[in-house]
Amino acid sequence: PAHFQCPVALDWLVNPVITPSGITYSQAELELWVRENGTDPVARSHLAMSEVIPNLAIATAVHYHR
């Protein structure tokens, strides 16, 4: 389902993390994006990985849905 898809990788969320803007990404994809751009890929606001937290609810849902 689209709600389990990383907006950067366009694939299943892997180790999902959530940004202050409320958007969930795959951790590795987001780390790469932030390292190269310094922003949230969708919201385009400044972002540091220290502001990101694991999205445990989505991780559990993805685990049981796959």
Side-chain angles (χ1 to χ4, degrees):
H3 54 279
F4 292 146
Q5 189 178 63
C6 174
V8 175
L10 302 178
D11 201 358
W12 283 92
L13 287 162
V14 177
N15 296 325
V17 293
I18 190 166
T19 64
S21 65
I23 302 168
T24 298
Y25 302 94
S26 290
Q27 183 177 358
E29 297 293 335
L30 182 61
E31 286 176 351
L32 180 61
W33 179 275
V34 169
R35 196 174 322 125
E36 293 177 359
N37 301 285
T39 62
D40 181 308
V42 174
R44 300 290 188 207
S45 54
H46 177 269
L47 181 66
M49 287 306 294
S50 61
E51 300 174 89
V52 172
I53 59 171
N55 190 331
L56 301 177
I58 293 295
T60 301
V62 168
H63 174 77
Y64 285 107
H65 198 288
R66 285 187 103 182

